[in-house]
Amino acid sequence: MIAGRPPAAGRARARRVLLRERDGGLFDVDEQRVVDAAELLDGLRAGRRFRAHRRSTGADCTLEVLAEVLGPALSGPRAGGVAVPLVGGVAGLLPGPAHPRGPDPDVGHG
């Protein structure tokens, strides 16, 4: 084990892989079952990362799924209680900066 990193099997399991169906439903590849938005949101709150791909084409649609899950959560009656715990998890899903100086120190990358 490298200091601070779980074994390879633990790292592979940490990021959930989802397939997006034509109807918008999500299917967890490893667990072989349907996942709803509430469960995905709970996973994000707990720090679990995911990648989503369209079943039909294999194209990445992670940001689209993330927006659909976070939109109602951030605009609903409990929005203030949801936004703060999710900020760190969302940063890990987004691509890094396109410029050579590296991550922006003010963004909270870890």
Side-chain angles (χ1 to χ4, degrees):
M1 179 169 143
I2 298 173
R5 293 181 71 181
R11 285 194 312 269
R13 181 72 180 111
R15 181 167 294 192
R16 181 178 240 175
V17 177
L18 303 172
L19 293 178
R20 184 174 187 130
E21 307 292 349
R22 289 184 187 271
D23 67 0
L26 298 169
F27 184 80
D28 186 305
V29 173
D30 291 330
E31 296 177 12
Q32 293 291 298
R33 65 182 184 86
V34 173
V35 175
D36 65 16
E39 180 183 346
L40 190 55
L41 184 60
D42 287 343
L44 288 170
R45 284 184 184 128
R48 187 168 187 191
R49 297 177 178 196
F50 74 96
R51 281 284 181 206
H53 303 274
R54 295 187 190 289
R55 183 183 292 272
S56 59
T57 65
D60 187 286
C61 60
T62 304
L63 293 179
E64 180 181 325
V65 170
L66 182 63
E68 289 176 10
V69 170
L70 291 181
L74 295 176
S75 63
R78 294 180 44 199
V82 174
V84 174
L86 289 176
V87 170
V90 171
L93 292 170
L94 302 175
H99 48 80
R101 72 180 176 98
D104 186 338
D106 296 328
V107 175
H109 295 279

